[in-house]
Amino acid sequence: MATSSGAGGLLRFAESRKNLTGCVCGLVGVGVTLTGAAGSLWPLVVGGLYAAGALIAPPERPDTPRFPTAGEQLDALRTDFGTLRAYLAEAELPAASRERVTALEALVEALLEPGWVSDPDHLHTLARAVRQDLPEAVDTFVRTRWWTRFSPGSEPPEEHLDRQLSALHEEATAIAASLRDAEAVRQETHTRYVEERGL
């Protein structure tokens, strides 16, 4: 394994800018030697020119990391949303909470349609809702409700679930409103353009 690593490092150095520039300068030294100008010091001339070339060569730059595009992130989020919907369908929820979850699912599904959400903040909010907030809210409710049977009279877990679902619905509604406003501005701009074009 160490030999393989050493061979890889040697290959990387052989292909590096420093080595290639040094080799070019070393070849210049060989040319100087062939003319007889270097005399008996030719090894020093060739080695010195190689070292000088290696020193002046620009440093190696690591490859720029590639991160998922907004479209790729949206595709992955849609896949995760499908997983979440399957989980929510199996969760035992009160009728009122089920209605809230269904409404939230419909809104998130519409927002995740291709071509709508591209803003990184909106994408982050939706990803957090799908991958963290909504599953956590339902899971916590299911667990808390199970323990509530042993301590009657405590605060009903349904209240917390409904408050969480309302807050998540408000966040998704704010994104929808932002998209609606952006489209309205776009429509108004196009109307002005078409009307003024004929003047």
Side-chain angles (χ1 to χ4, degrees), residues 6 10 26 41 59 64 67 121 145:
L10 186 61
L41 298 176
T64 304
F67 299 107
D121 290 335
R145 187 171 64 169

Side-chain angles (χ1 to χ4, degrees), residues 21-198:
T21 306
C23 287
V24 169
C25 291
L27 286 174
V28 171
V30 171
V32 170
T33 299
L34 292 177
T35 64
S40 61
L41 298 176
W42 71 267
L44 292 176
V45 171
V46 173
L49 285 174
Y50 172 86
L55 286 174
I56 64 171
E60 293 293 322
R61 290 183 298 109
D63 292 335
T64 304
R66 183 190 175 282
F67 299 107
T69 63
E72 291 169 338
Q73 291 177 33
L74 201 56
D75 289 340
L77 186 53
R78 268 197 296 275
T79 300
D80 292 343
F81 180 61
T83 303
L84 174 65
R85 292 188 90 165
Y87 163 73
L88 293 175
E90 294 180 9
E92 189 178 330
L93 300 173
S97 299
R98 174 61 66 189
E99 287 180 10
R100 289 176 183 271
V101 166
T102 301
L104 181 57
E105 281 181 323
L107 181 53
V108 171
E109 182 180 24
L111 290 171
L112 292 181
E113 284 296 316
W116 290 116
V117 175
S118 58
D119 183 272
D121 290 335
H122 292 166
L123 198 55
H124 172 72
T125 300
L126 289 172
R128 186 180 57 201
V130 168
R131 295 176 175 147
Q132 178 183 337
D133 294 337
L134 188 50
E136 179 72 16
V138 172
D139 183 61
T140 304
F141 164 75
V142 171
R143 291 170 179 268
T144 305
R145 187 171 64 169
W146 189 84
W147 284 107
T148 302
R149 296 181 306 169
F150 299 104
S151 55
S154 58
E155 186 177 13
E158 289 84 355
E159 290 184 11
H160 283 285
L161 176 61
D162 288 344
R163 286 166 56 191
Q164 292 166 11
L165 293 174
S166 294
L168 292 172
H169 196 276
E170 285 178 15
E171 281 186 341
T173 301
I175 294 174
S178 175
L179 294 174
R180 182 197 63 225
D181 292 346
E183 290 303 318
V185 168
R186 181 178 169 208
Q187 186 181 37
E188 290 171 9
T189 302
H190 188 63
T191 300
R192 281 198 303 272
Y193 164 73
V194 171
E195 290 176 346
E196 293 171 0
R197 186 175 58 189

